[in-house]
């Protein structure tokens, strides 16, 4: 491995990876899943109640949507909601991700005997887009991945000592799996127990009698103890019947219902088919998908000579893939706990992998980077904001983009540098994405201090296109009491100012909304549009990006007086 991945490369890429995961941690536009805002809502409401349980929510059907460990984490990190920001909510997720990478490094270094292999496995896993997307935001995935994978990494690290342990390892594994269940779902006891059984069976040289005699009882006890940890939720919650109805029956059993026609047809075709599960699992690697495919091909060619540890990792992947092919809702996100195993294979086969996978990664990275350069340059040069402001990047942004583009070109044409540059460029692309949105993260995309002070304690109506969207506006207008209306009505200025006393409306860039004489615009900002028509997308491709990608949002005070309770359902709920 010294020829293609040196300690110097490892240290430089590690530092780049750390910077990447911390850079823009508080960004509203960070790659994530839409569940983050509903989870933030549950944390805020539960913290306001002053009790750890029951979980609180104003959203219909979304209260006991996940076990309480994530929400307890959010309550603790925000000091019962008194310190409220995205970075404060997210930093425990980054710690979980860092710990997973660290223990992965220890396990691979131990069984492979190569420090570089351990470093490489950790860095490759961190470079996967799914790790970056789900491993930073306030989601259930970081603790789930850590607690699920820790026992398997311990087996790889300690080998015989862990496999033959009759007390310490089973108790530790039960505690880890229990915390994973308390983070995500009790359903994860099925793939983890199956994978653990396969590990023990393989350790006994595929002897069923030896497995049944020496290990089966340990797996059963681990599963029961883990479920016992999960049962803490039922024991402590004042309303366990609500947990059973909303979480067990609704959130979990509902995933076996047919999604479109019937279960068998959904299994073999459509967006929830077994083939889509396979594709989305590979797509978790993101820009490294070509490298992952070439690695799996190398593993298949070398299948007769796999080491014990490699066969165990394949059993882990197979167990999770098998179990999560049964629910009618199939998603590669459910297989995030096995992505470290894929990273291990890439690390072990690094020197034997053909360059085409890495060059394919560099081409994808080049496409992403040059697209960001084209869009950013167009926005800065077009002056599409007119007299209202300017979309301006720091000179350091363009230096960074130029250096990154040059590095990708070097990787494409310099054979010896191709592999490490392909790995480093994954992190560079993530940094470039965050840097490209910095103008919108600044004053352009935020209300000024005077506006924030003016709406303190007042009722404000804001557009909602997703449940708990108001949690984003709480970051923009802290201290205001927020209510939601349907986002599709955001441009209906006359209707909104005649309905609400203080409302956020949207208008095209450069167009100041027409308001009544007694109405007053008290603040404004720019926002990114979520949906464009086919014609608008065509115009954006022709270079008119700013006009169709962004809108202005104004806070307008009106003479409308609202009495009594609002009859319309809050669109954010």
């Amino acid at each position: 491995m010294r020829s293609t991945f040196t300690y110097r490369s490892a240290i430089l890429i590690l530092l780049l990876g750390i910077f990447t995961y911390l850079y823009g941690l508080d960004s509203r536009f960070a790659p994530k899943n839409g569940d983050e805002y509903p989870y933030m809502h549950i944390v805020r409401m539960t913290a306001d109640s002053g009790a750890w349980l029951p979980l609180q929510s104003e959203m219909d059907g979304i209260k006991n949507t996940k076990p309480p460990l994530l929400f307890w984490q959010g309550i603790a990190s925000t000091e019962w909601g008194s310190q409220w920001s995205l970075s404060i909510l997210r930093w425990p997720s980054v710690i979980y991700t860092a710990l997973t990478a660290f223990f992965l490094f220890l396990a691979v270094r131990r069984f492979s005997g190569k420090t570089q292999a351990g470093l490489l496995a950790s860095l490759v896993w961190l470079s996967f887009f799914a790790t970056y997307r789900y491993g930073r935001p306030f989601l259930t995935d970081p603790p789930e991945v850590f607690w699920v994978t820790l026992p398997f990494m311990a087996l790889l690290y300690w080998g015989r000592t862990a496999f033959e342990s009759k007390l310490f390892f089973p108790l530790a594994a039960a505690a880890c799996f229990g915390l994973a269940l308390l983070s995500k779902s009790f359903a994860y006891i099925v793939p983890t127990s199956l994978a653990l059984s396969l590990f023990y069976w393989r350790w006994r040289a595929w002897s069923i009698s030896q497995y049944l005699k020496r290990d089966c009882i340990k797996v059963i006890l681990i599963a029961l103890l883990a479920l016992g940890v999960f049962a803490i939720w039922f024991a402590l919650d004042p309303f366990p019947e609500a947990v059973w109805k909303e979480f067990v029956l609704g959130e979990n059993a509902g995933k076996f219902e047919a999604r479109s026609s019937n279960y068998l047809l959904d299994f073999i075709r459509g967006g929830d088919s077994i083939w889509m599960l396979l594709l989305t699992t590979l797509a978790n690697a993101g820009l490294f998908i070509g490298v992952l495919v070439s690695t799996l091909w190398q593993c298949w060619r070398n299948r007769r000579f796999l080491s014990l540890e490699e066969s165990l990792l394949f059993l882990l992947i197979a167990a999770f893939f098998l179990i999560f092919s049964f629910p009618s809702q199939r998603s590669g996100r459910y297989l995030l706990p096995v992505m470290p195993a894929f990273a291990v294979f890439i690390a072990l086969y690094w020197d034997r992998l053909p360059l085409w996978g890495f060059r394919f990664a560099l081409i994808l990275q080049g496409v992403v980077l040059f697209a960001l350069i084209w869009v950013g340059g167009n926005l800065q040069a077009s002056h599409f904001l007119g007299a209202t402001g300017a979309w301006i990047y720091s000179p350091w942004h363009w230096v960074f983009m130029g250096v990154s583009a040059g590095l990708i070109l070097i990787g494409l044409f310099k054979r010896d540098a191709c592999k490490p540059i392909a790995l480093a460029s994954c992190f560079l692309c993530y940094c470039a994405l965050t840097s490209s949105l910095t103008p919108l993260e600044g004053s352009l995309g935020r209300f000024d201090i005077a506006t924030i002070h003016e709406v303190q304690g007042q009722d404000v109506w804001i557009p909602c296109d997703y449940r708990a969207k108001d949690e984003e506006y709480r970051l923009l207008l802290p201290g205001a009491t927020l209510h939601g209306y349907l986002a599709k009505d955001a441009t209906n200025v006359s209707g909104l100012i005649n309905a609400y006393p203080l409302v956020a409306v949207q208008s095209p860039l450069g167009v100041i909304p027409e308001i009544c004489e007694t109405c007053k615009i008290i603040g404004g900002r720019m926002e990114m549009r979520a949906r464009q028509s086919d014609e608008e997308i065509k115009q954006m491709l022709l270079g008119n990006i700013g006009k169709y990608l962004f809108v202005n949002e104004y806070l307008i005070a009106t003479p409308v007086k609202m009495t009594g309770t609002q009859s319309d359902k809050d669109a954010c709920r």
Side-chain angles (χ1 to χ4, degrees), residues 128-189:
F128 289 164
F129 182 70
T131 308
Y132 181 73
R133 178 184 179 186
Y134 298 112
R136 298 199 314 155
F138 182 65
L139 299 172
T140 58
D141 305 285
E144 166 216 348
V145 171
F146 175 73
W147 293 117
V148 165
T149 57
L150 189 58
F152 297 106
M153 288 189 285
L155 287 171
L156 294 174
Y157 183 89
W158 277 299
R160 177 178 297 276
T161 302
F163 277 108
E164 300 297 342
S165 173
K166 296 181 180 180
L167 183 63
F168 179 76
F169 175 77
L171 289 178
C176 290
F177 289 156
L179 291 171
L181 305 187
L182 205 56
S183 299
K184 184 77 169 185
S185 170
F186 68 92
Y188 272 78
I189 197 60

Side-chain angles (χ1 to χ4, degrees), residues 13 16 362 365 369-370 400-414 417-418 420-426 428:
I13 297 174
L16 176 60
L362 286 166
Q365 293 158 4
L369 197 63
F370 283 102
F400 170 77
M401 300 297 272
V403 170
S404 300
L407 195 63
I408 288 175
L409 292 175
I410 291 173
L412 279 171
F413 295 105
K414 191 173 181 180
C418 178
I421 288 179
L423 178 57
S425 295
C426 289
L428 292 176

Side-chain angles (χ1 to χ4, degrees), residues 398-559:
W398 294 115
V399 171
F400 170 77
M401 300 297 272
V403 170
S404 300
L407 195 63
I408 288 175
L409 292 175
I410 291 173
L412 279 171
F413 295 105
K414 191 173 181 180
R415 183 182 183 91
D416 292 342
C418 178
K419 293 182 179 181
I421 288 179
L423 178 57
S425 295
C426 289
F427 298 110
L428 292 176
C429 285
Y430 304 151
C431 289
L433 177 61
T434 302
S435 181
S436 296
L437 291 169
T438 49
L440 201 58
E441 292 285 359
S443 59
L444 282 179
R446 296 182 181 273
F447 295 106
D448 58 32
I449 298 298
T451 302
I452 293 174
H453 286 314
E454 189 163 349
V455 300
Q456 289 285 305
Q458 297 195 49
D459 292 299
V460 181
W461 276 260
I462 49 98
C464 281
D465 55 2
Y466 193 85
R467 274 189 166 185
K469 177 74 171 181
D470 57 311
E471 296 300 333
E472 179 179 6
Y473 276 84
R474 290 181 197 282
L475 303 170
L476 299 169
L477 295 170
T481 302
L482 301 176
H483 311 277
Y485 66 84
L486 293 176
K488 65 181 181 64
D489 299 327
T491 57
N492 182 13
V493 178
S494 61
L496 292 171
I497 63 177
N498 287 318
Y500 304 114
L502 187 54
V503 62
V505 305
Q506 294 179 353
S507 66
L509 293 178
V511 178
I512 299 177
E514 296 183 2
I515 58 177
C516 60
E517 293 184 359
T518 53
C519 296
K520 175 186 177 184
I521 296 178
I522 61 174
R525 70 186 187 97
M526 192 171 74
E527 181 61 297
M528 188 183 298
R529 290 180 57 188
R531 296 179 178 87
Q532 286 81 21
S533 66
D534 292 341
E535 180 59 29
E536 289 172 335
I537 293 174
K538 179 180 177 181
Q539 290 298 318
M540 289 169 62
L541 293 175
L542 293 175
N544 299 317
I545 300 174
K547 180 179 179 181
Y548 297 103
L549 186 59
F550 303 104
V551 293
N552 280 331
E553 186 170 85
Y554 295 95
L555 271 179
I556 302 177
T558 75

Side-chain angles (χ1 to χ4, degrees), residues 25-341:
L25 188 61
D26 61 343
S27 172
R28 294 185 296 122
F29 305 102
K32 59 184 177 181
N33 181 273
D35 292 334
E36 186 176 41
Y37 288 135
Y39 293 168
M40 289 172 59
H41 173 78
I42 294 173
V43 169
R44 183 177 58 81
M45 295 296 297
T46 306
D48 287 346
S49 73
W52 297 98
L53 286 173
L55 300 176
Q56 302 291 332
S57 171
E58 294 178 341
M59 296 177 290
D60 295 337
I62 301 183
K63 180 183 293 184
N64 297 304
T65 183
K66 285 294 182 288
L69 195 59
L70 175 72
F71 309 115
W72 292 345
Q73 170 190 307
I75 290 173
S77 68
T78 61
E79 299 179 16
W80 289 87
S82 62
Q83 305 293 326
W84 195 256
S85 70
L86 285 175
S87 58
I88 290 175
L89 282 162
R90 288 171 175 173
W91 72 258
S93 296
V94 176
I95 296 298
Y96 270 121
T97 301
L99 288 173
T100 303
F102 177 69
F103 285 112
L104 180 63
F105 157 73
L106 292 180
V108 176
R109 183 184 67 168
R110 180 64 175 267
F111 78 74
S112 70
K114 298 176 180 178
T115 301
Q116 290 142 307
L119 285 169
L120 190 51
S122 297
L123 292 173
V124 168
W125 177 67
L126 290 173
S127 75
F128 289 164
F129 182 70
T131 308
Y132 181 73
R133 178 184 179 186
Y134 298 112
R136 298 199 314 155
F138 182 65
L139 299 172
T140 58
D141 305 285
E144 166 216 348
V145 171
F146 175 73
W147 293 117
V148 165
T149 57
L150 189 58
F152 297 106
M153 288 189 285
L155 287 171
L156 294 174
Y157 183 89
W158 277 299
R160 177 178 297 276
T161 302
F163 277 108
E164 300 297 342
S165 173
K166 296 181 180 180
L167 183 63
F168 179 76
F169 175 77
L171 289 178
C176 290
F177 289 156
L179 291 171
L181 305 187
L182 205 56
S183 299
K184 184 77 169 185
S185 170
F186 68 92
Y188 272 78
I189 197 60
V190 180
T192 53
S193 297
L194 175 59
L196 197 58
S197 296
L198 293 174
F199 266 50
Y200 277 115
W201 188 22
R202 175 65 183 86
W203 180 255
R204 302 301 175 190
W206 302 114
S207 172
I208 295 180
S209 61
Q210 286 294 312
Y211 163 74
L212 294 174
K213 178 181 178 180
R214 306 177 66 176
D215 304 312
C216 184
I217 188 63
K218 290 191 285 188
V219 175
I220 293 173
L221 289 176
I222 289 171
L224 292 176
L225 289 173
L227 289 171
V229 174
F230 175 79
I232 291 174
W233 186 13
F234 286 87
L236 298 180
D237 198 295
F239 306 104
E241 65 279 359
V243 175
W244 175 265
K245 179 180 179 181
E246 297 172 22
F247 182 72
V248 177
L249 298 181
E251 181 72 11
N252 288 272
K255 286 185 169 56
F256 284 88
E257 297 177 356
R259 304 278 288 176
S260 56
S261 51
N262 64 63
Y263 180 86
L264 291 178
L265 289 178
D266 289 347
F267 184 82
I268 60 174
R269 71 182 187 187
D272 291 298
S273 67
I274 187 69
W275 315 114
M276 188 59 65
L277 176 63
L278 176 62
L279 180 61
T280 54
T281 301
L282 296 176
N284 283 335
L287 300 170
F288 249 38
I289 186 171
V291 178
L292 178 56
V293 170
S294 69
T295 301
L296 294 177
W297 174 244
Q298 290 293 322
C299 291
W300 172 255
R301 295 178 60 184
N302 195 51
R303 63 189 181 277
R304 297 175 181 270
F305 309 103
L306 294 178
S307 66
L308 172 65
E309 291 80 11
E310 290 176 86
S311 63
L312 292 176
L313 290 170
F314 268 120
L315 291 174
L316 175 64
I317 295 170
F320 271 75
F321 189 85
L322 174 65
I323 295 303
F324 284 110
S325 66
F326 286 109
S328 55
Q329 182 178 334
R330 302 174 183 91
S331 169
R333 186 181 176 188
Y334 298 147
L335 273 77
L336 289 177
V338 303
M339 294 312 295

